[in-house]
Amino acid sequence: MSGPDSITSAEAARGPQDPAAPTGAQPPVIVIADDWGRHVSTTQHLFRRIVRSHDVIWVNSFGHRRPQLTWYDFRRALSKVAKMVSARKAPPTDGEGPRLIINPRALPWHNIEWVRRWNRGVVLAEVQRALAAVAPGRTPIFVTATPLGADLVGAFGERAAVYLCLDDYDQLPGVERNLLVPYEARLLARVDATIATAESLTHSKRPASGRTLHLPQGVNYAHFATPREAPPELANLPRPIIGFAGGVGPVIDRGLLQAVRDRFPSASIVLVGMHQEEIDPAAWPEGTHFLGARSYDVLPAYVQAFDVGLVPYVHNAHTAAVDPLKVLEYLAAGIPVVSTGLREVQKYATVVEVADGGAAFADAVARALDARTPADRDARQAVAAKHTWEQRVQTFLGYIDDLPPRAITAV
């Protein structure tokens, strides 16, 4: 990164005020992001820890594309409508949830001007009511993990407004570029800083303020490092188990999986994760096991049962800005890791086999299978232990704490 206001995670690691301070001592945080609890996302990993010291008002997503006539979209719409019946709901009972979760009565046709004004109005009203209930008279921090938060920057008299950028929306599959890109341009013109999981995003999503922070993915270390019993559906599969845990879709290079199958015909190739496209088993290597999504609570048992964990991602404009969560989760579990040469994976090259092309990728899997000693396992886990979500939260809050207070403007 370049420029006087661009800093690395290490430079920002001074940390925030006392993270053990009781609720009320820290500024409240308004977050616009994905639906709380639907998936355990990067934003939710961060805020499951931030809620321990800050009052968090969480606004569930209101759509990155217009709905289509598909069964998936129909079910998703029904779920959204059901949530909207009660716009606000109580926090989860596990003690790691926001003070309030808002299901905005917003519409997904963001490119229509009257819808844009409607959505801004309903979200603004709900959040203002929540602030009055949770943190009356206190100046909040505003964090949006979606470009759709652009029209709300400055609306709450916040001391800082931050874009938490996890993907390049110009290239992200499944979203409408012509819908989101104008919002993102407005957002970058207004926020005080961009905090991004990929270093390249600190350049491509640099705000008008010039302030950026590269905050790589973290890991719930204990969750993945604590030994688990292998799930019954994996316990009797032929070894080695060469596995992948993540979204199963176009991001996976099937040619690499075929090369692995050709090199290890008796191995079990196992894919654990939500299907992001219709799966035709005939289009994948013969004998691939599609297990579908598994809950985050039990996911470590599957990962620990792998003999090798794969990140077989294609190279394209989207993956050039991706920092895969699964790399550190594999390392925390202690298993060997083989990945294509994604930019964000290179920082772990001392403990990850990095290779591109079918033959080289299969060779890397062979080397990984030979690197399963206790010493190898310890080395991988030692790296993962340096990148916990607690450490990322300290950097995140410390950076925001150091931002100059923004000018208050009338809204």
Side-chain angles (χ1 to χ4, degrees), residues 188-380:
L188 292 174
R190 297 173 180 177
V191 292
D192 300 298
T194 294
I195 298 178
T197 50
E199 198 273 341
S200 65
L201 292 173
T202 65
H203 300 290
S204 62
K205 309 302 178 183
R206 190 179 185 88
S209 70
R211 301 185 190 98
T212 63
L213 170 69
H214 178 207
L215 187 78
Q217 299 282 15
V219 67
N220 189 347
Y221 180 79
H223 190 61
F224 282 89
T226 302
R228 314 281 186 109
E229 185 176 346
E233 59 198 314
L234 298 185
N236 296 321
L237 288 181
R239 294 281 178 173
I241 295 176
I242 301 171
F244 170 83
V248 179
V251 75
I252 295 177
D253 188 333
R254 300 180 197 180
L256 297 180
L257 296 186
Q258 187 61 57
V260 172
R261 163 62 68 221
D262 293 342
R263 182 70 63 87
F264 305 98
S266 62
S268 298
I269 297 177
V270 174
L271 308 182
V272 179
M274 178 180 295
H275 295 172
Q276 298 175 334
E277 62 181 3
E278 291 295 326
I279 298 297
D280 176 8
W284 295 72
E286 184 178 357
T288 299
H289 299 268
F290 298 94
L291 300 191
R294 293 294 182 270
S295 75
Y296 184 72
D297 288 344
V298 303
L299 183 60
Y302 288 83
V303 171
Q304 290 174 13
F306 296 166
D307 294 295
V308 176
L310 300 183
V311 187
Y313 282 5
V314 298
H315 282 283
N316 57 29
H318 168 222
T319 59
V322 166
D323 185 8
L325 266 172
K326 60 188 60 58
V327 172
L328 285 171
E329 292 173 347
Y330 291 163
L331 293 175
I335 66 171
V337 183
V338 178
S339 174
T340 50
L342 305 178
R343 295 175 190 174
E344 290 297 324
V345 174
Q346 299 292 343
K347 58 183 174 286
Y348 304 118
T350 58
V351 287
V352 173
E353 290 283 350
V354 176
D356 289 303
F361 198 83
D363 288 343
V365 171
R367 291 192 299 273
L369 288 169
D370 289 335
R372 291 183 287 166
T373 68
D376 293 324
R377 179 186 181 87
D378 290 346
R380 289 187 281 266

Side-chain angles (χ1 to χ4, degrees), residues 384-396:
K386 296 176 182 178
H387 300 280
T388 66
W389 285 117
E390 284 73 18
Q391 292 162 318
R392 296 293 190 253
V393 164
Q394 184 182 40
T395 301
F396 180 84

Side-chain angles (χ1 to χ4, degrees), residues 43-316:
T43 312
Q44 293 186 36
H45 277 301
L46 288 169
F47 278 90
R48 281 183 180 275
R49 289 148 181 87
I50 292 172
V51 298
R52 299 168 188 169
S53 57
H54 292 66
D55 292 317
V56 173
I57 298 168
W58 186 277
V59 182
N60 281 340
S61 66
F62 37 103
H64 283 161
R65 61 176 176 82
R66 288 167 290 190
Q68 301 173 352
L69 294 175
T70 66
W71 177 240
Y72 173 85
D73 281 6
F74 177 71
R75 288 183 299 171
R76 184 86 172 110
L78 287 179
S79 173
K80 281 289 187 184
V81 169
K83 290 178 179 178
M84 288 179 189
V85 171
S86 176
R88 280 190 274 168
K89 69 176 184 178
T93 57
D94 60 6
E96 293 194 342
R99 285 291 301 279
L100 282 175
I101 299 169
I102 295 174
N103 297 301
R105 297 184 176 96
L107 303 173
W109 297 279
H110 309 288
N111 56 322
I112 301 173
E113 183 60 27
W114 74 263
V115 171
R116 177 184 165 191
R117 291 196 301 268
W118 166 270
N119 287 347
R120 183 185 186 280
V122 296
V123 175
L124 178 59
E126 282 294 334
V127 174
Q128 286 175 330
R129 283 195 290 269
L131 279 173
V134 169
R138 291 158 57 200
T139 302
I141 294 166
F142 178 78
V143 176
T144 181
T146 167
L148 297 175
D151 292 338
L152 292 162
V153 175
F156 308 105
E158 63 266 19
R159 72 161 303 276
V162 171
Y163 179 24
L164 179 57
C165 184
L166 312 177
D167 281 296
D168 187 345
Y169 285 101
D170 289 8
Q171 307 295 335
L172 187 64
V175 302
E176 292 190 54
R177 183 181 184 279
N178 62 346
L179 186 154
L180 289 182
V181 170
Y183 273 89
E184 189 171 60
R186 290 196 297 274
L187 181 65
L188 292 174
R190 297 173 180 177
V191 292
D192 300 298
T194 294
I195 298 178
T197 50
E199 198 273 341
S200 65
L201 292 173
T202 65
H203 300 290
S204 62
K205 309 302 178 183
R206 190 179 185 88
S209 70
R211 301 185 190 98
T212 63
L213 170 69
H214 178 207
L215 187 78
Q217 299 282 15
V219 67
N220 189 347
Y221 180 79
H223 190 61
F224 282 89
T226 302
R228 314 281 186 109
E229 185 176 346
E233 59 198 314
L234 298 185
N236 296 321
L237 288 181
R239 294 281 178 173
I241 295 176
I242 301 171
F244 170 83
V248 179
V251 75
I252 295 177
D253 188 333
R254 300 180 197 180
L256 297 180
L257 296 186
Q258 187 61 57
V260 172
R261 163 62 68 221
D262 293 342
R263 182 70 63 87
F264 305 98
S266 62
S268 298
I269 297 177
V270 174
L271 308 182
V272 179
M274 178 180 295
H275 295 172
Q276 298 175 334
E277 62 181 3
E278 291 295 326
I279 298 297
D280 176 8
W284 295 72
E286 184 178 357
T288 299
H289 299 268
F290 298 94
L291 300 191
R294 293 294 182 270
S295 75
Y296 184 72
D297 288 344
V298 303
L299 183 60
Y302 288 83
V303 171
Q304 290 174 13
F306 296 166
D307 294 295
V308 176
L310 300 183
V311 187
Y313 282 5
V314 298
H315 282 283
N316 57 29

